[in-house]
Amino acid sequence: MYKLVTCDMDETLLNDDRTITPKTVAAIKAASAQGVYFVPNTGRNFLTIQDNLATLGLKQQKGQYVISFNGGAIVENAGPKVLTTQALDFEIAKKLWQLGMDRGYCVHVYTVDKLYIWNPSQTDAAYLTGRVAGWELPQESIEILATTPIVKVLYEVLAEQERLEVKATVNAEINASLNITFSSDRYVEFNDQAATKGAAVLKLGEMLGIKREEIIAIGDNGNDLSMIEACGLGVSMANGRDFLKAKAQYVTQNDNNHDGVAEVLEKFVLNPVD
């Protein structure tokens, strides 16, 4: 019996119009009523998904959780209360920031409670609208965050081949152990090596007394791979990347616009077949 379902947000739980369909909401609420944890597992700041948690009946709920910043934080919904963080070394974050600035990329820097954006672009702003409510546009360098824990840095890089090249460049030029992932077919994301979606959900499972075999992970892109491989049942959405589908144990018939997450819950949690 599965006891915890962890799920990516963008292009997985959320439709392309950035909402959750009524059928999927009903399935999540039904699973929660059975005592199954539903844990959003996102690259975003946990503060940006509070409206989604409210829709699911999980906002401000004690004993319910979100994994944020690609595993950079585990957060209890009541409060919200940050339980664990896995921050980047500031000097590494500074090198990442400088490389992104030198290349003219739109650069995001995430602290636990704020998003700072340098070199903002129209394409990035259009993507963030409806997903992220508010961000800082500092005129100063990243030195303003020298004493503030930084949990993630990312670049907006729209071309797939260029994203691959950026990953290779960072690995070659920055002397650091990093978790480098891709998301939403537009971002290259940098976390501390210990911060992954998979490691975080296993840690949360340990905190709750839940084994890896009792966890389902659902995602669509590169930053979901660690949890797809780590959990008892790894699921790729129908709209997921081919490399993720190849690693998943189940691929949904329906995509994020047609209740793919509800399909998983109905098949493996609400009406499981032995």
Side-chain angles (χ1 to χ4, degrees), residues 7 34 41 46 62 105 120 122 165 172 181 208 214 217 223 231 258 272 274:
C7 185
Q34 290 185 10
N41 201 330
F46 60 92
K62 188 173 178 60
Y105 293 138
Q122 291 183 346
E165 185 270 331
T181 56
L208 298 173
E214 299 171 322
N223 61 342
C231 295
H258 299 90
D274 294 333

Side-chain angles (χ1 to χ4, degrees), residues 180-194:
I180 305 176
T181 56
F182 305 138
S183 68
S184 300
D185 294 333
R186 65 192 311 114
Y187 295 127
V188 185
E189 309 205 8
F190 307 98
N191 288 84
D192 184 82
Q193 187 179 43

Side-chain angles (χ1 to χ4, degrees), residues 107-109 111 113-120 132-139 144-145:
V107 179
H108 293 197
V109 176
T111 66
D113 60 353
K114 289 185 179 180
L115 166 59
Y116 298 83
I117 299 179
W118 281 266
N119 290 339
V132 177
W135 49 84
E136 303 285 332
L137 299 172
Q139 300 303 307
I144 61 172
L145 301 177

Side-chain angles (χ1 to χ4, degrees), residues 1-6 27-28 30-32 34-38 212-219 228 231-238 248-254 259-274:
M1 178 183 294
Y2 294 107
K3 298 180 179 179
L4 188 154
V5 178
T6 193
I28 291 168
S32 296
Q34 290 185 10
V36 176
Y37 293 94
F38 186 84
R212 64 172 297 276
E213 294 83 6
E214 299 171 322
I215 303 173
I216 298 174
I218 313 171
I228 296 298
C231 295
L233 178 64
V235 177
S236 171
M237 297 292 284
Q249 294 154 285
Y250 181 76
V251 178
T252 64
Q253 296 181 22
N254 299 296
D259 298 302
V261 171
E263 175 189 331
V264 176
L265 294 175
E266 289 170 356
K267 184 176 180 67
F268 296 104
V269 176
L270 301 176
N271 303 295
V273 177
D274 294 333

Side-chain angles (χ1 to χ4, degrees), residues 100-238:
M101 294 294 286
D102 289 346
R103 290 188 166 218
Y105 293 138
C106 174
V107 179
H108 293 197
V109 176
Y110 290 80
T111 66
V112 170
D113 60 353
K114 289 185 179 180
L115 166 59
Y116 298 83
I117 299 179
W118 281 266
N119 290 339
S121 70
Q122 291 183 346
T123 51
D124 185 55
Y127 182 79
L128 293 179
T129 300
R131 292 181 169 90
V132 177
W135 49 84
E136 303 285 332
L137 299 172
Q139 300 303 307
E140 308 89 343
S141 79
I142 196 175
E143 290 289 349
I144 61 172
L145 301 177
T147 60
T148 304
I150 294 171
V151 289
K152 188 175 71 169
V153 175
L154 68 76
Y155 309 152
E156 183 196 35
V157 184
L158 298 179
E160 181 173 10
Q161 186 57 42
E162 189 175 1
R163 290 194 293 272
L164 295 170
E165 185 270 331
V166 167
K167 180 176 181 179
T169 297
V170 168
N171 279 329
E173 295 186 5
I174 297 180
N175 184 24
S177 295
L178 294 167
N179 175 30
I180 305 176
T181 56
F182 305 138
S183 68
S184 300
D185 294 333
R186 65 192 311 114
Y187 295 127
V188 185
E189 309 205 8
F190 307 98
N191 288 84
D192 184 82
Q193 187 179 43
T196 70
K197 289 187 174 186
V201 73
L202 293 184
K203 176 64 176 178
L204 178 59
E206 181 181 332
M207 293 163 63
L208 298 173
I210 296 173
K211 302 175 183 176
R212 64 172 297 276
E213 294 83 6
E214 299 171 322
I215 303 173
I216 298 174
I218 313 171
D220 75 288
N221 215 317
N223 61 342
D224 302 316
L225 182 60
S226 64
M227 67 177 183
I228 296 298
E229 293 183 319
C231 295
L233 178 64
V235 177
S236 171
M237 297 292 284

